[in-house]
Amino acid sequence: MGTICFVILNYKTWREAAACAESILKTQQGQDIRIVLVDNGSGNGSEESLREEFAGEKRVHVIASEKNLGFARGNNLGIRYARSHFEPDFIVAANSDIIFEQEDYCEKLREIYKEERFDILGGDIVDASRTRHFNPVARNRQYTLNYMRKQIAVSWAKCKMFQMIKLLHLKKAIAGHYGVVSDETGRDVKDGSKNLTTREEDGKSVSADSRVDERMKDVLLHGCCLVFSKDFFKQMDGFYDGTFLYAEEEILYYLAGKYGMTLLYAPEIGCMHKEAVSTNFVMQNFCDAKIFYFGNITKSYRAFLALMKKYE
């Protein structure tokens, strides 16, 4: 029975990262596991707090970057550490706001691999209300140069739109449309009634309020929790590192197709994604959050387009 290593990426939210690690230690008792906590240049004492929190736990290893490397390179730092120190059969790359509740998670993971020989696996990921399911994200998505150029144009335009909205103080006029209201302190908060999760099927968006009960191959998987088998590392070293934030799972989906790797959705394993607690999800500033998202995803899509040109 080989080692299963969990890589948890932290940026300024060490308590969430610690809770994620604790959930693994609690549920995966008797399993050969290691946990690598990567502090991604938080600069707020997160590294020190995590080292203190797990000082007596030999299965938990805290490493740190001097600066914020972004999602892909931050995860890759932990993946390299895990592979060089533990030679694991599987690496589970999880966001800090993931909670593992399934006691036979590792056992099921090994069973699925014996049956399917996957390269990348995604399980059933739910929000805290258990009403929204994040996997699979999409089926049969076709990435072409024209498709990506369109995505770049749309995300760039939305970034500029929110910059203008902020400049002209028009947030109140459009906030309701995006499900944002102000709480009693005046902060922007997400209106849970409008925070709907969808998945894409053959190019059409459908509600994701029910669990997909069957295994599915070659689907786009959500990036908040991905499992990489040893087979994956025969062709890639980790996430494509040409982006800072967003679109990492889309690039994995594209490259998996080019390399003939198997992406598998398996409902037998799962976890909970705390970020989706919609009624309590606080954005410090609605417009700034949108500008940050669309600005970064535009950069990621441009990097994606440059990558695609090498294969087309």
Side-chain angles (χ1 to χ4, degrees):
M1 182 174 68
T3 302
I4 295 178
C5 190
F6 293 79
V7 173
I8 304 169
L9 186 64
N10 171 70
Y11 182 66
K12 296 185 182 293
T13 57
W14 76 267
R15 289 184 177 84
E16 286 192 337
C20 178
E22 290 287 2
S23 74
I24 298 166
L25 295 171
K26 180 181 178 180
T27 57
Q28 306 310 305
Q29 296 182 21
Q31 296 291 329
D32 182 5
I33 61 169
R34 297 293 186 275
I35 299 172
V36 179
L37 286 162
V38 182
D39 184 61
N40 202 11
S42 296
N44 66 343
S46 285
E47 177 191 353
E48 294 79 8
S49 296
L50 287 170
R51 292 190 187 280
E52 182 178 353
E53 184 77 9
F54 295 101
E57 179 51 74
K58 294 182 179 180
R59 292 170 294 177
V60 178
H61 303 255
V62 179
I63 64 174
S65 169
E66 293 183 358
K67 64 178 183 178
N68 183 358
L69 299 174
F71 182 89
R73 283 176 286 171
N75 269 296
N76 287 348
L77 181 66
I79 288 170
R80 286 195 299 271
Y81 183 93
R83 293 181 67 201
S84 63
H85 285 75
F86 313 120
E87 298 183 356
D89 284 348
F90 305 97
I91 293 178
V92 183
N95 285 11
S96 61
D97 55 2
I98 292 291
I99 294 293
F100 293 87
E101 301 171 313
Q102 184 178 345
E103 293 185 355
D104 63 350
Y105 184 95
C106 290
E107 294 174 14
K108 288 291 186 183
L109 178 57
R110 293 188 176 97
E111 290 176 8
I112 295 167
Y113 178 75
K114 287 180 182 179
E115 297 169 2
E116 301 283 1
R117 297 286 298 189
F118 61 83
D119 294 282
I120 309 170
L121 174 73
D124 180 36
I125 303 171
V126 298
D127 71 347
S129 72
R130 271 63 174 182
T131 61
R132 300 182 177 100
H133 300 255
F134 296 91
N135 263 335
V137 176
R139 286 194 283 182
N140 303 322
R141 181 177 289 181
Q142 300 297 316
Y143 284 100
T144 65
L145 295 177
N146 284 337
Y147 173 86
M148 190 49 58
R149 291 187 183 104
K150 180 180 178 181
Q151 297 304 108
I152 292 170
V154 170
S155 60
W156 179 86
K158 287 184 176 180
C159 181
K160 295 303 178 183
M161 179 185 75
F162 282 104
Q163 288 175 341
M164 187 61 66
I165 288 169
K166 181 180 180 181
L167 180 65
L168 299 177
H169 304 287
L170 297 175
K171 183 183 73 176
K172 289 184 178 180
I174 53 87
H177 174 73
Y178 286 91
V180 174
V181 295
S182 297
D183 67 7
E184 61 275 7
T185 67
R187 295 180 301 178
D188 297 334
V189 298
K190 197 72 175 174
D191 178 2
S193 65
K194 295 189 177 182
N195 187 26
L196 301 178
T197 301
T198 61
R199 66 172 57 97
E200 179 186 315
E201 294 186 5
D202 297 323
K204 296 181 180 179
S205 181
V206 299
S207 175
D209 57 359
S210 61
R211 178 175 178 265
V212 175
D213 290 326
E214 61 182 0
R215 292 182 188 177
M216 300 175 64
K217 287 187 177 180
D218 302 325
V219 292
L220 178 56
L221 301 167
H222 202 286
C224 67
C225 185
L226 291 168
V227 182
F228 300 95
S229 75
K230 289 192 296 185
D231 297 342
F232 170 84
F233 296 106
K234 294 175 183 177
Q235 300 195 68
M236 292 182 65
D237 294 326
F239 290 94
Y240 173 70
D241 64 3
T243 63
F244 181 78
L245 192 61
Y246 305 127
E248 294 84 7
E249 61 265 70
E250 294 183 75
I251 296 174
L252 268 181
Y253 177 80
Y254 175 80
L255 290 175
K258 294 298 181 182
Y259 294 151
M261 293 191 289
T262 298
L263 295 111
L264 178 70
Y265 163 73
E268 298 95 319
I269 64 170
C271 58
M272 188 263 284
H273 189 202
K274 290 193 296 185
E275 183 190 21
V277 184
S278 56
T279 54
N280 296 318
F281 181 53
V282 177
M283 294 185 293
Q284 295 300 318
N285 183 286
F286 169 59
C287 285
D288 284 344
K290 290 293 185 181
I291 293 167
F292 179 82
Y293 172 75
F294 286 115
N296 276 287
I297 203 166
T298 299
K299 293 176 183 177
S300 292
Y301 281 154
R302 285 172 175 158
F304 193 176
L305 177 64
L307 175 68
M308 289 177 67
K309 289 179 178 179
K310 297 178 180 179
Y311 289 92
E312 300 300 328

